[in-house]
Amino acid sequence: MNKIRSWPLAGLLIALGAQADGLVTPAIEGVVAGGTPIVLIKEGFKGTEGPIALPDGSVAFTEGQINQITRIAPDNSISPYLENSGGANGLAFNAAGELIAVQTTKPGIAVLAPAAKQRVLVDQYEGKPLNRPNDLVVDQRGGVYFTDPGARPEPGQPAPQTAVYYLPPKGALKRLATDVGRPNGIQLSPDEKTLYVANTFGDHILAYDIQNDGSVGRRRNFAKLDGVTQTETGVTSGADGLAVDAKGRLYVASAAGVQVFDSKGAALGTIPLPKAPQNLAFAGEGKKTLYIVGRGAAYKIAVLTPGFAGRVK
């Protein structure tokens, strides 16, 4: 059974944080001041995905390899937040304060906490099981957008059917797109008129106009990514988690680092990191800290513009 744990001082792992290999940020107007330290919180996590802000200003993220959600406090101390997560990957909260997760052990979208409200929201589409959902975002109506790239195929095996879905507050699951090579991170603009999707097997962040019923219009290329490489099967950008700030800027965890775009898709700059990031979220007091996780490491950076306050991420 899932259990949210408190974080007593006894046995708590303290990670005081240090500047990551002396790295500092470049100056990106409105985003970060030049020379801002990139603080390494800790390395050696067993999976680093799905960060979100918690109500107390700390941040939680998923360690899939140990089936746990982990908490980072504002003082950088580390403690378990929720155990037996069902292989949780992406995380979100709804308006009722319920913790919602993408689960990979039995692929689906589920409420993990509070314990009394645990339930599976969806695990199939038109009678067939979902492949392996990856990330999600909850809109103000309580609907859930999520990506399903499926598991990476074994050599010589066909690729799974990829998809982007919308689960409305009431009603059946809607499949929005099946033509994205590897849909990964997903995010909404602050006004919830635009849905962003990171395509790891592509050189652009994709965007869709959202309709009144939560469905979307035709996709368009929103922002051109740097750091794209050519492979035997096509291009890859490493585009993964997405976050938005209070000015509608889009932050992308990618092979190049954290790439930042304005609300029109213009590139503003890139924050380099020692390891390629997988996901990111604003948290801390006033959401003025950008937390970044990836390849077993967690970092934080003080920012000039806080994260969007209308959602946890």
Side-chain angles (χ1 to χ4, degrees), residues 24 119 124 161 170 308:
V24 297
R119 61 194 184 276
Q124 57 183 292
Q161 172 67 70
K170 296 180 181 179
F308 175 55

Side-chain angles (χ1 to χ4, degrees), residues 180 185-191 193-199 202-209 218-226 239 241-245 247-252 259-268:
V180 181
I186 192 166
Q187 188 55 260
L188 292 163
S189 60
D191 62 9
K193 293 182 178 180
T194 305
L195 178 71
Y196 302 114
V197 175
N199 179 18
D203 57 3
H204 281 83
I205 296 297
L206 307 176
Y208 302 82
D209 293 331
R218 295 181 62 184
R219 84 178 201 186
R220 64 181 186 277
N221 289 337
F222 173 75
K224 183 71 161 54
L225 293 160
D226 287 333
L242 306 175
V244 291
D245 71 14
K247 296 295 185 180
R249 301 182 187 94
L250 183 68
Y251 295 62
V252 182
Q259 299 187 51
V260 187
F261 302 91
D262 70 16
S263 60
K264 303 297 184 182
L268 301 177

